[in-house]
Amino acid sequence: MMSGLGRFAADLPAVSRYVTLGEGGTPLLALDRLAARFGLAGLSAKVESANPTGSYKDRVAAMSLSLALDRGNPGWIATSSGNAGLAFAAYGVRAGLPGFLCVVAGAPPGKLIPLVPYGIGLAAVTDVGDGGSGRSGAGLMELVRDAARRHELFLGITANRYNPDGMRGIETIGYELAEQLPDTTQVYVPTGGGGLLASLARGLAHRGVPAAVVACQPAGCAPIVRFLDGELARPVIERCDTRVSALQLPEPPDGDLAVAAVIGSGGWGTSVSDEETLAAQRLLAATEGLFVEPASATGLAAVIRDVAAGRLGGTDHPVLVLTGAGWKDLDRFAAAAERIPEVGLGGVAERVDRWAGEVRS
């Protein structure tokens, strides 16, 4: 069977060939322990961290660079807090096209360091990300769009507002879910700019999957959730206050699309604290063996909150979209790693015996 986005060519923008690193076809894993713990009929995870560069953004990059080649663009330009940048860097090299990336200066080092080997143009931009205003984030995107026009570059911003054809690659998550679990009741989607949610919802709808789509946002940057809850006149806030990288968009470029997708699916929005998100990240790793970045864990944190609020119950089988890999954001675990006890050869047996006793007790 054909791998990559090409398997769904009939439902995607036409290109002469696909630039691929083997993206897509990610597993859907049953999270039986967590389902039992929270009294759900089932709980599953769409493991997008299994994509070649560790996130769902590979689907966007694959579609975008395929389009760039087809359209004769001499290169590409994009913005990123980490995941999109790595995806475009890798797929740009695969396509043989140079690229320039504006990254969030405060992004985790684990998202910035891997960009270096690809040899792309880079600028770390301040005034965006945690503490940044909506105006500064939107202003950066407009500057990048202007640069794309000046130099005839493919505009790789991962938002439907700026790159609608490239974002079609995300629809393939919905196509795959339709094959893997067509009777899922809800799909929990970490939501920053709104593009992932809106595009995934299109894919589900195109395949006739009636699942409710749930927008999951950090409480410190939840314009879409707050709009859905009737708190805001528009899904826009002045600035964000969250440590959860990738979800720090106070003025989401696809906010209106995301709102329409949630409402159209019969879904809702749930916001969670950073502390709930980090606890969910640890719980997912320690209970089911899945280590994801904090943004991915907002989905599980939202499920936990919705179970407690009575929104989910024993007949529900939600799916978590695990957007990115945990190795991209390791700084918060550095202090714990430094506390790993050092022992000489003579102390190994005693250390193991002590651990075994603790496990049995």
Side-chain angles (χ1 to χ4, degrees):
M1 184 169 60
M2 182 183 294
S3 63
L5 300 190
R7 185 160 77 88
F8 301 108
D11 295 298
L12 296 173
V15 293
S16 56
R17 72 177 179 90
Y18 283 92
V19 178
T20 183
L21 287 168
E23 66 290 334
T26 55
L28 185 75
L29 300 182
L31 307 181
D32 294 334
R33 293 187 183 90
L34 289 175
R37 179 169 179 161
F38 297 116
L40 298 169
L43 179 65
S44 297
K46 183 65 169 161
V47 189
E48 286 297 290
S49 56
N51 278 300
T53 75
S55 86
Y56 79 95
K57 293 292 180 75
D58 286 354
R59 298 179 190 260
V60 188
M63 189 74 253
S64 295
L65 270 301
S66 300
L67 289 163
L69 283 180
D70 234 44
R71 296 172 181 177
N73 295 110
W76 57 270
I77 188 170
T79 62
S80 178
S81 60
N83 286 333
L86 187 54
F88 270 83
Y91 282 81
V93 170
R94 187 73 170 170
L97 293 177
F100 190 94
L101 183 66
C102 293
V103 296
V104 175
K111 291 185 175 182
L112 299 181
I113 294 171
L115 295 170
V116 176
Y118 293 98
I120 63 173
L122 285 166
V125 183
T126 58
D127 304 321
V128 292
D130 186 18
S133 71
R135 287 187 297 274
S136 61
L140 173 60
M141 292 181 190
E142 294 301 321
L143 287 170
V144 168
R145 179 165 64 179
D146 291 345
R149 289 170 175 166
R150 286 198 308 275
H151 301 286
E152 299 181 344
L153 303 172
F154 187 92
L155 181 60
I157 294 175
T158 54
N160 287 277
R161 178 186 293 181
Y162 298 101
N163 181 14
D165 290 337
M167 291 292 284
R168 294 283 305 279
I170 296 175
E171 294 174 14
T172 60
I173 301 176
Y175 301 160
E176 291 173 16
L177 282 173
E179 298 170 346
Q180 293 167 320
L181 192 67
D183 57 349
T184 179
T185 51
Q186 298 89 13
V187 180
Y188 276 69
V189 186
T191 304
L196 168 60
L197 187 150
S199 302
L200 193 161
R202 278 199 309 267
L204 292 171
H206 189 60
R207 287 294 194 265
V209 177
V213 179
V214 182
C216 310
Q217 294 196 291
C221 194
I224 292 169
V225 173
R226 290 176 62 190
F227 176 84
L228 289 166
D229 287 346
E231 295 180 28
L232 301 174
R234 296 175 56 221
V236 173
I237 56 176
E238 179 60 30
R239 64 180 58 250
C240 68
D241 180 19
T242 176
R243 295 168 289 159
V244 181
S245 172
L247 303 184
Q248 299 164 329
L249 287 149
E251 190 170 330
D254 289 336
D256 291 333
L257 285 178
V259 165
V262 170
I263 294 172
S265 73
W268 60 85
T270 300
S271 62
V272 292
S273 69
D274 286 8
E275 290 71 26
E276 288 173 292
T277 292
L278 297 179
Q281 180 191 31
R282 289 179 176 272
L283 179 64
L284 191 57
T287 305
E288 299 286 0
L290 291 168
F291 179 42
V292 298
E293 65 180 355
S296 292
T298 58
L300 178 57
V303 163
I304 295 170
R305 180 171 277 267
D306 284 347
V307 167
R311 265 179 163 168
L312 293 178
T315 61
D316 290 307
H317 187 150
V319 167
L320 309 176
V321 181
L322 302 183
T323 49
W327 52 261
K328 295 186 175 190
D329 192 355
L330 294 173
D331 277 7
R332 70 189 74 256
F333 299 101
E338 290 174 358
R339 294 195 295 271
I340 296 173
E342 295 182 0
V343 297
L345 287 175
V348 171
E350 186 274 335
R351 184 73 192 174
V352 173
D353 291 346
R354 187 194 314 170
W355 167 82
E358 292 171 352
V359 170
R360 292 194 203 102
S361 62

